[in-house]
Amino acid sequence: MTGLDRRRKRARRVARFQRLGMWVVIAAGAALLLAGLPWLLVKGPYRIDGAYIDQKELAKGSAALVTGLRTAVVAFAAALGAGIALLYTARTYRLTRRGQITERFTKALERLGSDQIYVRIGGILALEQIVQDAPEQAATDAAHVLGHFIRHQAPRAAPPSEPDPHRGPQTDLLPTEPAADVQAALTALTRTESRTHVDPRERLDLHDLHLAGARMNRADLTDADLSGAALTGADLSGAALTGADLYKATLTKANLKRATLTRARLVGATLTEANLSRTTCTKADLSWAVLTGADLGGATLKGVRLVGATLTEADLSRTTCTKADLTRAVLTGAHLFEAVLTRANLDGADLMSVLWSESTTWWPSDDDGAKMRERSVSLGHGIWRIQEAGNSGAGLSEPRLAPVE
């Protein structure tokens, strides 16, 4: 269960208890009025103050005591009725508030259609407030509108293509960062508190969009669809990308420091020179991904698929690769100082010119370090560089980088 799922479950539990508590109070008040009040009026004085009532003197003066108690009971009943009326007033207030939310929603939509960017941003902020404090359905509707706004305003990611020498330089370059209104909508839609009240079936859809330079640090992108998106230079540090789809996404020079990529799909993604330091990539799929020059220092790669991935000159210092699948991966010139490759599958991997240190753990067996020394040349100070191909895939008859289907 993801953090987003836990927050949604907690919010639903609180709302359910609030509704249940209101109906319990109303039912108890109704039962007290219908059954308890008649009993208190008739029998209450004799049961509560029976020791002080003289039946013989009742007609002379004790009747005043009975009358006084009955008056107190009636006053109590009036107060109880006022409490129940207050509950109904609260319910009426909630209905009125829903009407106000509808009015706010309508005004926000009008602002989104404005030609003035600051008016559109005002509409976005109004929708964000609805997402965070409105009932679940209204919050989902507001999130749905914000998602469509982003898809309508943000440009489409340009398909990768070979440069044409006959056309000259490209003149219709895509922006290096999102427009102010698109950035505001992205921030509003990916806040942790915003996604809590949105229906889980309302998936965040940002696929094939050009979002280069977007600022989404600490964003909640759980289960988001970012396939084919262009996120070059985007700030995704500390972001929650659990279960996110980043198939063939472009994350060149993106900042993913301390991000959570548990079960994320990054097949064929481009992460050239991306910052993935201290990232958690448990059971993520990075098959055929390009991580040339990427910084994976201190990252946790538990159960990760890196089949056919390109990690040329990548920095994997202090990286933990437990049960990672690096079959046919290209690690030419990568840094593996103090890395832990416990039970990692390196069958057919290209390890030529890989730099490693004495504290690098290749496999649980001590003999594997000795085998790597036989293939390596010492550079001094406990640093080694692999010089012999060994089981590096040099003799493979099929290409190392097969196209992603």
Side-chain angles (χ1 to χ4, degrees):
M1 181 180 291
T2 65
L4 178 59
D5 291 333
R6 286 192 292 270
R7 291 194 302 274
R8 283 172 171 166
K9 186 177 181 180
R10 183 165 56 249
R12 287 194 298 268
R13 187 186 303 118
V14 170
R16 187 166 57 250
F17 283 158
Q18 288 176 343
R19 291 193 299 269
L20 181 61
M22 181 187 70
W23 287 110
V24 166
V25 171
I26 292 174
L32 187 59
L33 283 175
L34 295 175
L37 185 58
W39 182 88
L40 283 173
L41 290 173
V42 178
K43 298 293 185 180
Y46 301 100
R47 294 298 180 90
I48 298 173
D49 289 332
Y52 305 100
I53 296 175
D54 186 350
Q55 295 293 336
K56 295 180 179 180
E57 300 294 328
L58 185 60
K60 298 179 180 179
S62 299
L65 182 60
V66 175
T67 302
L69 182 56
R70 285 176 176 173
T71 302
V73 170
V74 171
F76 170 75
L80 183 61
I84 295 174
L86 184 61
L87 290 175
Y88 276 106
T89 301
R91 183 173 180 272
T92 303
Y93 166 77
R94 283 193 295 271
L95 294 175
T96 304
R97 182 168 173 266
R98 288 185 181 180
Q100 292 173 345
I101 289 171
T102 302
E103 185 178 355
R104 289 165 55 193
F105 195 93
T106 303
K107 290 182 178 179
L109 291 179
E110 293 174 355
R111 292 178 181 176
L112 288 182
S114 174
D115 295 332
Q116 302 293 329
I117 190 169
Y118 64 87
V119 177
R120 294 198 297 271
I121 291 175
I124 291 166
L125 296 177
L127 285 175
E128 181 183 7
Q129 289 300 315
I130 294 174
V131 171
Q132 293 182 11
D133 60 22
E136 183 171 315
Q137 187 56 51
T140 301
D141 293 341
H144 186 74
V145 170
L146 284 173
H148 277 284
F149 177 83
I150 294 171
R151 294 201 61 78
H152 178 73
Q153 295 293 110
R156 306 285 290 185
S161 59
E162 295 296 328
D164 188 350
H166 302 291
R167 294 184 59 186
Q170 186 178 358
T171 57
D172 55 341
L173 295 175
L174 291 169
T176 57
E177 61 180 20
D181 53 351
V182 173
Q183 179 61 63
L186 282 171
T187 302
L189 201 54
T190 60
R191 290 189 197 274
T192 300
E193 53 270 27
S194 295
R195 299 207 66 198
T196 301
H197 301 289
V198 177
D199 193 312
R201 293 170 293 184
E202 184 66 28
R203 189 182 186 189
L204 184 56
D205 185 4
L206 301 172
H207 79 277
D208 292 331
L209 294 182
H210 180 80
L211 300 171
R215 299 182 300 277
M216 293 188 284
N217 53 306
R218 298 186 179 276
D220 191 337
L221 293 159
T222 303
D223 295 325
D225 184 0
L226 290 156
S227 57
L231 293 158
T232 303
D235 184 1
L236 292 159
S237 55
L241 288 149
T242 301
D245 187 356
L246 289 146
Y247 174 72
K248 287 190 175 180
T250 302
L251 292 140
T252 304
K253 296 184 178 180
N255 184 6
L256 289 150
K257 185 177 181 179
R258 295 182 182 273
T260 302
L261 291 158
T262 303
R263 298 190 305 278
R265 183 179 180 233
L266 292 110
V267 178
T270 302
L271 293 135
T272 305
E273 298 183 20
N275 184 358
L276 291 151
S277 58
R278 301 189 182 184
T279 299
T280 302
C281 298
T282 306
K283 296 183 179 179
D285 191 350
L286 288 100
S287 300
W288 311 108
V290 179
L291 295 111
T292 304
D295 182 2
L296 289 138
T300 301
L301 308 177
K302 185 177 181 180
V304 171
R305 282 179 55 82
L306 284 157
V307 177
T310 301
L311 291 147
T312 305
E313 297 183 356
D315 186 359
L316 289 95
S317 303
R318 302 177 304 281
T319 299
T320 302
C321 298
T322 306
K323 297 183 181 179
D325 189 353
L326 289 144
T327 305
R328 293 187 293 177
V330 180
L331 291 97
T332 307
H335 295 179
L336 292 170
F337 303 128
E338 301 181 28
V340 179
L341 296 130
T342 306
R343 299 178 66 182
N345 185 359
L346 291 163
D347 291 342
D350 189 343
L351 302 175
M352 285 296 293
S353 300
V354 166
L355 297 174
W356 58 285
S357 61
E358 293 287 352
S359 54
T360 300
T361 303
W362 291 98
W363 285 279
S365 172
D366 292 336
D367 296 336
D368 295 304
K371 291 177 182 178
M372 281 298 169
R373 289 189 187 91
E374 294 176 1
R375 298 170 51 184
S376 306
V377 59
S378 176
L379 301 180
H381 304 288
I383 306 299
W384 298 77
R385 182 173 63 202
I386 298 177
Q387 292 290 91
E388 297 181 11
N391 184 21
S392 63
L396 292 175
S397 58
E398 56 188 288
R400 293 193 187 96
L401 294 177
V404 180
E405 298 295 335

Short mmCIF file of all heavy atoms in Angstrom, two decimals, residues 54-114:
data_model
loop_
_atom_site.label_atom_id
_atom_site.label_comp_id
_atom_site.label_asym_id
_atom_site.label_seq_id
_atom_site.Cartn_x
_atom_site.Cartn_y
_atom_site.Cartn_z
N ASP A 54 -43.98 13.74 50.76
CA ASP A 54 -44.92 13.21 51.76
C ASP A 54 -46.28 13.08 51.07
O ASP A 54 -46.89 14.08 50.67
CB ASP A 54 -45.01 14.16 52.95
CG ASP A 54 -45.87 13.60 54.08
OD1 ASP A 54 -46.53 12.56 53.86
OD2 ASP A 54 -45.85 14.20 55.17
N GLN A 55 -46.69 11.83 50.91
CA GLN A 55 -47.94 11.58 50.21
C GLN A 55 -49.13 12.26 50.92
O GLN A 55 -50.05 12.74 50.25
CB GLN A 55 -48.18 10.07 50.11
CG GLN A 55 -47.15 9.32 49.26
CD GLN A 55 -47.22 9.69 47.79
OE1 GLN A 55 -48.26 10.14 47.32
NE2 GLN A 55 -46.11 9.51 47.09
N LYS A 56 -49.07 12.32 52.25
CA LYS A 56 -50.18 12.94 52.98
C LYS A 56 -50.20 14.45 52.81
O LYS A 56 -51.25 15.07 52.80
CB LYS A 56 -50.07 12.59 54.48
CG LYS A 56 -50.23 11.11 54.77
CD LYS A 56 -50.10 10.84 56.26
CE LYS A 56 -50.27 9.35 56.58
NZ LYS A 56 -50.14 9.08 58.03
N GLU A 57 -48.97 15.00 52.72
CA GLU A 57 -48.89 16.45 52.59
C GLU A 57 -48.78 16.92 51.15
O GLU A 57 -48.54 18.09 50.88
CB GLU A 57 -47.67 16.97 53.38
CG GLU A 57 -47.71 16.66 54.85
CD GLU A 57 -48.85 17.42 55.53
OE1 GLU A 57 -49.18 18.52 55.08
OE2 GLU A 57 -49.41 16.88 56.50
N LEU A 58 -48.89 15.90 50.22
CA LEU A 58 -48.70 16.22 48.81
C LEU A 58 -49.66 17.31 48.35
O LEU A 58 -49.27 18.23 47.63
CB LEU A 58 -48.89 14.95 47.97
CG LEU A 58 -48.60 15.10 46.47
CD1 LEU A 58 -47.16 15.52 46.25
CD2 LEU A 58 -48.91 13.80 45.75
N ALA A 59 -50.92 17.18 48.84
CA ALA A 59 -51.93 18.16 48.39
C ALA A 59 -51.70 19.53 49.02
O ALA A 59 -52.14 20.54 48.49
CB ALA A 59 -53.33 17.65 48.74
N LYS A 60 -51.01 19.56 50.16
CA LYS A 60 -50.82 20.83 50.86
C LYS A 60 -49.63 21.64 50.32
O LYS A 60 -49.72 22.83 50.12
CB LYS A 60 -50.61 20.58 52.35
CG LYS A 60 -51.81 19.92 53.00
CD LYS A 60 -51.51 19.69 54.48
CE LYS A 60 -52.70 19.02 55.19
NZ LYS A 60 -52.43 18.77 56.62
N GLY A 61 -48.51 20.96 50.10
CA GLY A 61 -47.34 21.76 49.71
C GLY A 61 -46.29 21.01 48.92
O GLY A 61 -45.48 21.62 48.21
N SER A 62 -46.28 19.68 49.06
CA SER A 62 -45.26 18.92 48.35
C SER A 62 -45.47 18.97 46.85
O SER A 62 -44.56 18.68 46.07
CB SER A 62 -45.27 17.46 48.81
OG SER A 62 -44.98 17.39 50.19
N ALA A 63 -46.65 19.33 46.41
CA ALA A 63 -46.92 19.42 44.98
C ALA A 63 -46.01 20.45 44.32
O ALA A 63 -45.67 20.34 43.14
CB ALA A 63 -48.38 19.77 44.76
N ALA A 64 -45.60 21.45 45.08
CA ALA A 64 -44.70 22.45 44.51
C ALA A 64 -43.36 21.84 44.10
O ALA A 64 -42.76 22.22 43.10
CB ALA A 64 -44.47 23.57 45.53
N LEU A 65 -42.89 20.85 44.90
CA LEU A 65 -41.65 20.16 44.57
C LEU A 65 -41.79 19.39 43.27
O LEU A 65 -40.92 19.41 42.41
CB LEU A 65 -41.24 19.24 45.73
CG LEU A 65 -39.92 18.48 45.56
CD1 LEU A 65 -38.76 19.46 45.41
CD2 LEU A 65 -39.70 17.54 46.74
N VAL A 66 -42.92 18.71 43.16
CA VAL A 66 -43.17 17.94 41.93
C VAL A 66 -43.24 18.87 40.73
O VAL A 66 -42.65 18.62 39.68
CB VAL A 66 -44.48 17.12 42.06
CG1 VAL A 66 -44.80 16.42 40.75
CG2 VAL A 66 -44.36 16.13 43.20
N THR A 67 -43.93 19.95 40.91
CA THR A 67 -44.07 20.90 39.80
C THR A 67 -42.73 21.49 39.41
O THR A 67 -42.41 21.65 38.23
CB THR A 67 -45.04 22.03 40.21
OG1 THR A 67 -46.31 21.45 40.56
CG2 THR A 67 -45.23 23.00 39.06
N GLY A 68 -41.90 21.78 40.40
CA GLY A 68 -40.58 22.34 40.11
C GLY A 68 -39.70 21.38 39.33
O GLY A 68 -38.99 21.77 38.40
N LEU A 69 -39.74 20.08 39.73
CA LEU A 69 -38.93 19.08 39.02
C LEU A 69 -39.42 18.91 37.60
O LEU A 69 -38.63 18.80 36.66
CB LEU A 69 -38.97 17.75 39.78
CG LEU A 69 -38.11 16.63 39.17
CD1 LEU A 69 -36.65 17.08 39.04
CD2 LEU A 69 -38.21 15.37 40.01
N ARG A 70 -40.77 18.90 37.47
CA ARG A 70 -41.30 18.75 36.11
C ARG A 70 -40.93 19.95 35.25
O ARG A 70 -40.64 19.82 34.06
CB ARG A 70 -42.82 18.60 36.19
CG ARG A 70 -43.24 17.21 36.68
CD ARG A 70 -44.74 17.11 36.84
NE ARG A 70 -45.12 15.74 37.21
CZ ARG A 70 -46.36 15.37 37.56
NH1 ARG A 70 -47.32 16.30 37.62
NH2 ARG A 70 -46.62 14.11 37.84
N THR A 71 -40.90 21.11 35.83
CA THR A 71 -40.48 22.30 35.08
C THR A 71 -39.03 22.18 34.63
O THR A 71 -38.68 22.53 33.50
CB THR A 71 -40.66 23.55 35.95
OG1 THR A 71 -42.04 23.66 36.35
CG2 THR A 71 -40.26 24.81 35.19
N ALA A 72 -38.19 21.64 35.54
CA ALA A 72 -36.78 21.44 35.18
C ALA A 72 -36.63 20.44 34.05
O ALA A 72 -35.80 20.60 33.15
CB ALA A 72 -35.99 20.99 36.41
N VAL A 73 -37.46 19.35 34.11
CA VAL A 73 -37.41 18.33 33.05
C VAL A 73 -37.81 18.93 31.72
O VAL A 73 -37.20 18.68 30.68
CB VAL A 73 -38.30 17.14 33.42
CG1 VAL A 73 -38.45 16.20 32.23
CG2 VAL A 73 -37.71 16.39 34.61
N VAL A 74 -38.88 19.76 31.75
CA VAL A 74 -39.31 20.41 30.51
C VAL A 74 -38.22 21.31 29.95
O VAL A 74 -37.97 21.36 28.74
CB VAL A 74 -40.62 21.19 30.76
CG1 VAL A 74 -40.98 22.04 29.55
CG2 VAL A 74 -41.76 20.23 31.08
N ALA A 75 -37.53 22.05 30.83
CA ALA A 75 -36.44 22.91 30.39
C ALA A 75 -35.31 22.10 29.78
O ALA A 75 -34.72 22.48 28.76
CB ALA A 75 -35.92 23.74 31.57
N PHE A 76 -35.04 20.93 30.40
CA PHE A 76 -34.00 20.05 29.85
C PHE A 76 -34.40 19.55 28.47
O PHE A 76 -33.58 19.49 27.54
CB PHE A 76 -33.77 18.88 30.80
CG PHE A 76 -32.91 17.80 30.21
CD1 PHE A 76 -31.53 17.98 30.09
CD2 PHE A 76 -33.47 16.60 29.78
CE1 PHE A 76 -30.74 16.99 29.54
CE2 PHE A 76 -32.67 15.61 29.23
CZ PHE A 76 -31.31 15.80 29.12
N ALA A 77 -35.68 19.18 28.34
CA ALA A 77 -36.16 18.69 27.04
C ALA A 77 -36.05 19.79 25.99
O ALA A 77 -35.69 19.54 24.83
CB ALA A 77 -37.60 18.22 27.16
N ALA A 78 -36.33 21.02 26.38
CA ALA A 78 -36.21 22.14 25.44
C ALA A 78 -34.76 22.32 24.99
O ALA A 78 -34.47 22.57 23.81
CB ALA A 78 -36.73 23.41 26.08
N ALA A 79 -33.85 22.18 25.96
CA ALA A 79 -32.44 22.30 25.62
C ALA A 79 -32.00 21.17 24.68
O ALA A 79 -31.23 21.38 23.74
CB ALA A 79 -31.59 22.29 26.89
N LEU A 80 -32.51 19.95 24.95
CA LEU A 80 -32.19 18.81 24.08
C LEU A 80 -32.73 19.03 22.68
O LEU A 80 -32.06 18.77 21.67
CB LEU A 80 -32.76 17.52 24.68
CG LEU A 80 -32.42 16.22 23.93
CD1 LEU A 80 -30.91 16.01 23.90
CD2 LEU A 80 -33.11 15.03 24.59
N GLY A 81 -33.95 19.53 22.60
CA GLY A 81 -34.51 19.84 21.29
C GLY A 81 -33.71 20.89 20.56
O GLY A 81 -33.52 20.82 19.33
N ALA A 82 -33.23 21.88 21.30
CA ALA A 82 -32.39 22.90 20.69
C ALA A 82 -31.10 22.30 20.15
O ALA A 82 -30.60 22.69 19.08
CB ALA A 82 -32.07 23.99 21.70
N GLY A 83 -30.55 21.31 20.88
CA GLY A 83 -29.34 20.63 20.39
C GLY A 83 -29.59 19.89 19.10
O GLY A 83 -28.77 19.92 18.17
N ILE A 84 -30.74 19.18 19.05
CA ILE A 84 -31.07 18.47 17.82
C ILE A 84 -31.29 19.44 16.66
O ILE A 84 -30.87 19.21 15.53
CB ILE A 84 -32.32 17.58 18.04
CG1 ILE A 84 -31.99 16.49 19.08
CG2 ILE A 84 -32.79 16.96 16.74
CD1 ILE A 84 -33.18 15.66 19.48
N ALA A 85 -31.95 20.55 16.98
CA ALA A 85 -32.14 21.57 15.95
C ALA A 85 -30.81 22.10 15.45
O ALA A 85 -30.64 22.41 14.26
CB ALA A 85 -33.00 22.70 16.51
N LEU A 86 -29.85 22.18 16.37
CA LEU A 86 -28.52 22.64 15.98
C LEU A 86 -27.87 21.66 15.02
O LEU A 86 -27.19 22.06 14.06
CB LEU A 86 -27.65 22.82 17.24
CG LEU A 86 -26.25 23.39 17.01
CD1 LEU A 86 -26.33 24.78 16.41
CD2 LEU A 86 -25.47 23.41 18.32
N LEU A 87 -28.09 20.35 15.26
CA LEU A 87 -27.54 19.36 14.35
C LEU A 87 -28.14 19.50 12.96
O LEU A 87 -27.45 19.40 11.93
CB LEU A 87 -27.79 17.95 14.89
CG LEU A 87 -26.98 17.54 16.13
CD1 LEU A 87 -27.43 16.18 16.63
CD2 LEU A 87 -25.50 17.51 15.79
N TYR A 88 -29.44 19.71 12.92
CA TYR A 88 -30.09 19.92 11.63
C TYR A 88 -29.58 21.20 10.96
O TYR A 88 -29.44 21.27 9.74
CB TYR A 88 -31.60 19.98 11.80
CG TYR A 88 -32.25 18.62 11.82
CD1 TYR A 88 -32.74 18.08 13.01
CD2 TYR A 88 -32.37 17.88 10.66
CE1 TYR A 88 -33.34 16.83 13.04
CE2 TYR A 88 -32.97 16.63 10.67
CZ TYR A 88 -33.45 16.10 11.86
OH TYR A 88 -34.03 14.87 11.87
N THR A 89 -29.29 22.21 11.78
CA THR A 89 -28.73 23.44 11.24
C THR A 89 -27.36 23.18 10.63
O THR A 89 -27.02 23.73 9.56
CB THR A 89 -28.62 24.50 12.35
OG1 THR A 89 -29.91 24.74 12.90
CG2 THR A 89 -28.05 25.80 11.79
N ALA A 90 -26.58 22.33 11.32
CA ALA A 90 -25.26 21.98 10.78
C ALA A 90 -25.40 21.25 9.45
O ALA A 90 -24.63 21.48 8.51
CB ALA A 90 -24.51 21.12 11.79
N ARG A 91 -26.39 20.36 9.38
CA ARG A 91 -26.62 19.64 8.12
C ARG A 91 -27.03 20.62 7.01
O ARG A 91 -26.57 20.52 5.87
CB ARG A 91 -27.70 18.58 8.33
CG ARG A 91 -27.96 17.72 7.10
CD ARG A 91 -28.91 16.59 7.46
NE ARG A 91 -29.17 15.75 6.31
CZ ARG A 91 -30.14 15.97 5.42
NH1 ARG A 91 -30.94 17.02 5.58
NH2 ARG A 91 -30.32 15.17 4.40
N THR A 92 -27.89 21.57 7.37
CA THR A 92 -28.29 22.59 6.39
C THR A 92 -27.09 23.41 5.95
O THR A 92 -26.96 23.78 4.78
CB THR A 92 -29.36 23.50 7.00
OG1 THR A 92 -30.47 22.72 7.43
CG2 THR A 92 -29.83 24.53 5.99
N TYR A 93 -26.19 23.68 6.91
CA TYR A 93 -24.98 24.43 6.59
C TYR A 93 -24.13 23.68 5.57
O TYR A 93 -23.58 24.29 4.63
CB TYR A 93 -24.18 24.69 7.86
CG TYR A 93 -22.77 25.16 7.61
CD1 TYR A 93 -22.52 26.48 7.22
CD2 TYR A 93 -21.69 24.29 7.75
CE1 TYR A 93 -21.23 26.91 6.98
CE2 TYR A 93 -20.40 24.71 7.50
CZ TYR A 93 -20.18 26.02 7.12
OH TYR A 93 -18.90 26.44 6.87
N ARG A 94 -24.01 22.34 5.76
CA ARG A 94 -23.24 21.55 4.81
C ARG A 94 -23.85 21.59 3.42
O ARG A 94 -23.14 21.67 2.41
CB ARG A 94 -23.11 20.11 5.31
CG ARG A 94 -22.09 19.94 6.42
CD ARG A 94 -21.77 18.48 6.65
NE ARG A 94 -22.95 17.75 7.13
CZ ARG A 94 -23.28 17.63 8.40
NH1 ARG A 94 -22.53 18.21 9.33
NH2 ARG A 94 -24.34 16.94 8.76
N LEU A 95 -25.19 21.53 3.36
CA LEU A 95 -25.85 21.61 2.05
C LEU A 95 -25.61 22.98 1.42
O LEU A 95 -25.38 23.09 0.22
CB LEU A 95 -27.35 21.35 2.21
CG LEU A 95 -27.73 19.93 2.64
CD1 LEU A 95 -29.24 19.84 2.87
CD2 LEU A 95 -27.29 18.90 1.59
N THR A 96 -25.67 24.02 2.24
CA THR A 96 -25.41 25.37 1.74
C THR A 96 -23.97 25.49 1.25
O THR A 96 -23.68 26.12 0.22
CB THR A 96 -25.67 26.41 2.84
OG1 THR A 96 -27.02 26.26 3.31
CG2 THR A 96 -25.47 27.82 2.32
N ARG A 97 -23.06 24.85 2.00
CA ARG A 97 -21.65 24.89 1.64
C ARG A 97 -21.42 24.20 0.30
O ARG A 97 -20.61 24.66 -0.51
CB ARG A 97 -20.82 24.21 2.73
CG ARG A 97 -19.31 24.23 2.48
CD ARG A 97 -18.57 23.80 3.73
NE ARG A 97 -17.16 23.64 3.48
CZ ARG A 97 -16.57 22.49 3.16
NH1 ARG A 97 -17.30 21.39 3.06
NH2 ARG A 97 -15.28 22.44 2.96
N ARG A 98 -22.15 23.12 0.05
CA ARG A 98 -22.02 22.47 -1.26
C ARG A 98 -22.46 23.41 -2.37
O ARG A 98 -21.85 23.44 -3.45
CB ARG A 98 -22.86 21.20 -1.29
CG ARG A 98 -22.29 20.07 -0.45
CD ARG A 98 -23.10 18.81 -0.61
NE ARG A 98 -22.56 17.73 0.20
CZ ARG A 98 -23.08 16.50 0.26
NH1 ARG A 98 -24.18 16.22 -0.47
NH2 ARG A 98 -22.54 15.57 1.01
N GLY A 99 -23.52 24.15 -2.11
CA GLY A 99 -23.95 25.13 -3.10
C GLY A 99 -22.90 26.20 -3.33
O GLY A 99 -22.68 26.63 -4.47
N GLN A 100 -22.22 26.61 -2.25
CA GLN A 100 -21.16 27.60 -2.38
C GLN A 100 -19.98 27.04 -3.16
O GLN A 100 -19.36 27.75 -3.96
CB GLN A 100 -20.71 28.05 -0.99
CG GLN A 100 -21.75 28.85 -0.22
CD GLN A 100 -21.33 29.14 1.20
OE1 GLN A 100 -20.38 28.52 1.71
NE2 GLN A 100 -22.02 30.06 1.85
N ILE A 101 -19.68 25.74 -2.93
CA ILE A 101 -18.59 25.10 -3.68
C ILE A 101 -18.91 25.07 -5.16
O ILE A 101 -18.05 25.33 -6.01
CB ILE A 101 -18.33 23.68 -3.13
CG1 ILE A 101 -17.70 23.76 -1.75
CG2 ILE A 101 -17.43 22.90 -4.08
CD1 ILE A 101 -17.59 22.43 -1.04
N THR A 102 -20.19 24.77 -5.48
CA THR A 102 -20.59 24.78 -6.88
C THR A 102 -20.41 26.15 -7.50
O THR A 102 -19.93 26.29 -8.64
CB THR A 102 -22.06 24.34 -7.01
OG1 THR A 102 -22.22 23.03 -6.43
CG2 THR A 102 -22.50 24.30 -8.46
N GLU A 103 -20.76 27.19 -6.73
CA GLU A 103 -20.59 28.56 -7.22
C GLU A 103 -19.11 28.89 -7.40
O GLU A 103 -18.72 29.51 -8.41
CB GLU A 103 -21.24 29.54 -6.24
CG GLU A 103 -21.22 30.98 -6.71
CD GLU A 103 -21.90 31.92 -5.73
OE1 GLU A 103 -22.46 31.42 -4.72
OE2 GLU A 103 -21.86 33.14 -5.95
N ARG A 104 -18.28 28.49 -6.43
CA ARG A 104 -16.85 28.71 -6.55
C ARG A 104 -16.28 27.97 -7.76
O ARG A 104 -15.42 28.50 -8.48
CB ARG A 104 -16.14 28.23 -5.27
CG ARG A 104 -16.37 29.11 -4.06
CD ARG A 104 -15.95 28.39 -2.79
NE ARG A 104 -14.58 27.92 -2.85
CZ ARG A 104 -14.05 27.05 -1.99
NH1 ARG A 104 -14.80 26.56 -1.01
NH2 ARG A 104 -12.80 26.68 -2.10
N PHE A 105 -16.78 26.76 -7.98
CA PHE A 105 -16.33 25.95 -9.11
C PHE A 105 -16.63 26.67 -10.43
O PHE A 105 -15.79 26.75 -11.33
CB PHE A 105 -17.01 24.59 -9.06
CG PHE A 105 -16.39 23.54 -9.92
CD1 PHE A 105 -15.44 22.67 -9.41
CD2 PHE A 105 -16.76 23.42 -11.24
CE1 PHE A 105 -14.86 21.70 -10.21
CE2 PHE A 105 -16.19 22.45 -12.05
CZ PHE A 105 -15.23 21.60 -11.54
N THR A 106 -17.84 27.18 -10.53
CA THR A 106 -18.25 27.87 -11.76
C THR A 106 -17.40 29.10 -12.02
O THR A 106 -16.96 29.35 -13.15
CB THR A 106 -19.74 28.26 -11.67
OG1 THR A 106 -20.52 27.09 -11.41
CG2 THR A 106 -20.21 28.92 -12.95
N LYS A 107 -17.15 29.89 -10.98
CA LYS A 107 -16.33 31.10 -11.13
C LYS A 107 -14.90 30.75 -11.51
O LYS A 107 -14.27 31.45 -12.32
CB LYS A 107 -16.35 31.91 -9.85
CG LYS A 107 -17.70 32.58 -9.57
CD LYS A 107 -17.64 33.41 -8.30
CE LYS A 107 -18.97 34.13 -8.05
NZ LYS A 107 -18.95 34.93 -6.81
N ALA A 108 -14.36 29.64 -10.93
CA ALA A 108 -13.00 29.22 -11.26
C ALA A 108 -12.90 28.82 -12.73
O ALA A 108 -11.91 29.14 -13.41
CB ALA A 108 -12.57 28.07 -10.36
N LEU A 109 -13.93 28.13 -13.23
CA LEU A 109 -13.94 27.74 -14.64
C LEU A 109 -13.95 28.97 -15.55
O LEU A 109 -13.30 28.99 -16.60
CB LEU A 109 -15.15 26.86 -14.94
CG LEU A 109 -15.15 25.45 -14.31
CD1 LEU A 109 -16.42 24.72 -14.68
CD2 LEU A 109 -13.93 24.66 -14.73
N GLU A 110 -14.69 29.99 -15.15
CA GLU A 110 -14.72 31.21 -15.94
C GLU A 110 -13.35 31.86 -16.00
O GLU A 110 -12.93 32.39 -17.04
CB GLU A 110 -15.75 32.18 -15.35
CG GLU A 110 -17.20 31.69 -15.48
CD GLU A 110 -18.16 32.60 -14.75
OE1 GLU A 110 -17.70 33.56 -14.08
OE2 GLU A 110 -19.38 32.37 -14.84
N ARG A 111 -12.62 31.81 -14.89
CA ARG A 111 -11.29 32.41 -14.86
C ARG A 111 -10.31 31.63 -15.72
O ARG A 111 -9.41 32.23 -16.34
CB ARG A 111 -10.77 32.46 -13.42
CG ARG A 111 -11.54 33.43 -12.52
CD ARG A 111 -11.00 33.40 -11.11
NE ARG A 111 -11.74 34.29 -10.23
CZ ARG A 111 -11.53 34.40 -8.92
NH1 ARG A 111 -10.58 33.66 -8.34
NH2 ARG A 111 -12.23 35.23 -8.20
N LEU A 112 -10.45 30.31 -15.77
CA LEU A 112 -9.53 29.51 -16.57
C LEU A 112 -9.61 29.86 -18.05
O LEU A 112 -8.65 29.67 -18.79
CB LEU A 112 -9.82 28.01 -16.39
CG LEU A 112 -9.44 27.38 -15.05
CD1 LEU A 112 -9.74 25.90 -15.06
CD2 LEU A 112 -7.97 27.61 -14.74
N GLY A 113 -10.76 30.35 -18.50
CA GLY A 113 -10.92 30.70 -19.90
C GLY A 113 -10.49 32.11 -20.24
O GLY A 113 -10.67 32.55 -21.39
N SER A 114 -9.90 32.81 -19.28
CA SER A 114 -9.50 34.20 -19.52
C SER A 114 -8.25 34.27 -20.40
O SER A 114 -7.42 33.35 -20.44
CB SER A 114 -9.22 34.90 -18.18
OG SER A 114 -8.70 36.19 -18.39
#
